[in-house]
Amino acid sequence: MQATAASFLARPLPCPRRIGRSAYGAVAVRGGVSPLPPRLRAVRCSMSLSIGAGSSDIGDSGFSYQYAPVFRRYRERDPYKLLGVDRDASEEEIRSAKDFLVQQYAGHEASEEAIEGAYEKIIMKSYQHRKKTKINLKTKLLKRVEESPSWVKAFLGYFEVPSMDIISKRLFFFAFIAGWSIATSAENGPAFQLAISLFSCIYFLNDKMKNLLRASTTGFGVLVGGWIVGSMLVPLIPTFIIPPTWSLELLTSLVAYVFLFLGSTYLK
C-alpha cells in the first residue's frame, strides 16, 4: 500500500492545458488561471464601418465605429445621371448639384471622386461643344464669303480683323479722345482733338499699308465720311436725351471718332 502511494506521488504532473481566455487579460487553464505575457495584454483595435448611422462606442472604449455615407450612384457611368441633373441644365445648376452631393457624402473617398469626376466630364463636354460651335460658325462664314459674288469678295478684301490686343488699344485711344472732347466742349470746339485723331489714323494706316500717300488719302476720306454721316444722324437724335452743353459740332465729331477708329483698325 505504501509502495503504491509512493509510486503515484513520484509520477510527473501533467502540463496545464489552455482552454479559454478570461476578460481580464488572462488565460483560463485546467486547474487555475494563468496570466498572459505582457505583450499580449490589452490589445485594442479600431474598426471603421460604413453601416449604421453616427459614431458610437460599443462595449469597450477601445472599439470605435465611424460612419461614412456611401453614394449609391457612384458607380454610374453617365455623369448626368450620377449628379441627378438634366442634359440641358445650366452650369450653375450642375455646380449646385455637385456641391450638394459632395457635402452630403463627404468622407467616402470613392463617392467624392465619382461626383467630382462627373462634374468635370460635363463641364469639359460643354466647353468642347461651345468651341466646336464657334469653329462651325467661322467655317460657315468663310464658306458664305467664298460663295458670294466677285464684287463682294473684292469689297471684303479691303478689310481685315486684327488681334484683340490691337483692337483694345486703339479703342482705348479713340475713347480717350472722345472723353477729352466732351470734357472741354464748354470751353472750345473739338478741332484740336479731331486733328490728333486724323494724324493718329494716318499713322496706324501707314503702319499697315507702308504707303504714306495712300494712308493719308484713306484717313482723310474716313474723316470726311464720318463727318457727313454724323451731320445726317445727329439731327435725328431726340433733343431731350442730349445734354444741353453738347453742341452739334461735338456730336458730329463723336461720330467721326467712331469712323476713324474703324478705319484705322479694320482697313487693310
Side-chain angles (χ1 to χ4, degrees):
M1 182 74 177
Q2 291 179 355
T4 303
S7 63
F8 177 79
L9 294 175
R11 293 172 58 189
L13 293 175
C15 296
R17 296 173 59 191
R18 183 178 301 178
I19 61 174
R21 177 178 293 181
S22 69
Y24 300 98
V27 176
V29 298
R30 185 172 298 171
V33 177
S34 175
L36 286 173
R39 62 186 179 87
L40 297 179
R41 296 178 188 172
V43 178
R44 299 181 182 272
C45 63
S46 176
M47 301 177 65
S48 177
L49 300 180
S50 297
I51 58 175
S55 300
S56 59
D57 293 338
I58 302 177
D60 188 3
S61 61
F63 291 85
S64 62
Y65 299 90
Q66 299 177 353
Y67 172 65
V70 180
F71 185 39
R72 294 182 180 180
R73 299 194 304 269
Y74 82 94
R75 294 183 183 274
E76 177 64 49
R77 294 188 176 183
D78 189 342
Y80 293 94
K81 292 182 180 180
L82 191 145
L83 295 181
V85 296
D86 298 331
R87 295 187 178 275
D88 57 349
S90 63
E91 291 189 9
E92 184 178 355
E93 293 174 341
I94 297 171
R95 189 181 301 107
S96 299
K98 184 263 297 184
D99 294 339
F100 174 78
L101 292 176
V102 168
Q103 184 178 6
Q104 289 293 318
Y105 298 97
H108 191 262
E109 185 176 357
S111 299
E112 292 181 353
E113 291 179 355
I115 295 168
E116 293 287 353
Y119 173 75
E120 292 177 359
K121 286 181 180 179
I122 295 176
I123 295 301
M124 183 59 65
K125 186 177 180 180
S126 176
Y127 170 75
Q128 292 176 351
H129 177 71
R130 291 197 302 267
K131 187 176 180 180
K132 186 178 180 181
T133 303
K134 291 181 180 179
I135 294 174
N136 290 339
L137 180 61
K138 187 176 181 180
T139 304
K140 289 180 180 179
L141 290 175
L142 291 175
K143 186 177 180 180
R144 286 194 175 185
V145 170
E146 292 176 355
E147 296 175 353
S148 60
S150 58
W151 66 269
V152 176
K153 294 180 181 179
F155 176 75
L156 295 177
Y158 290 102
F159 298 92
E160 65 177 1
V161 180
S163 63
M164 287 301 301
D165 184 54
I166 294 176
I167 295 174
S168 59
K169 288 180 178 179
R170 294 182 184 176
L171 178 62
F172 175 79
F173 174 77
F174 285 100
F176 172 77
I177 295 295
W180 184 14
S181 301
I182 294 172
T184 59
S185 61
E187 300 176 1
N188 46 31
F192 181 67
Q193 290 85 350
L194 278 171
I196 294 178
S197 300
L198 175 60
F199 289 132
S200 301
C201 179
I202 293 173
Y203 172 79
F204 294 142
L205 290 173
N206 184 58
D207 187 51
K208 294 186 292 184
M209 298 177 177
K210 306 301 181 183
N211 189 328
L212 182 59
L213 179 61
R214 183 186 172 193
S216 302
T217 305
T218 305
F220 186 75
V222 170
L223 174 63
V224 173
W227 193 268
I228 293 174
V229 173
S231 301
M232 293 187 297
L233 291 179
V234 169
L236 302 178
I237 302 176
T239 56
F240 65 89
I241 66 174
I242 301 176
T245 57
W246 289 21
S247 62
L248 178 63
E249 185 182 11
L250 173 63
L251 294 172
T252 307
S253 65
L254 295 178
V255 178
Y257 294 147
V258 175
F259 273 71
L260 290 170
F261 160 72
L262 296 175
S264 63
T265 305
Y266 296 101
L267 283 177
K268 284 187 178 180

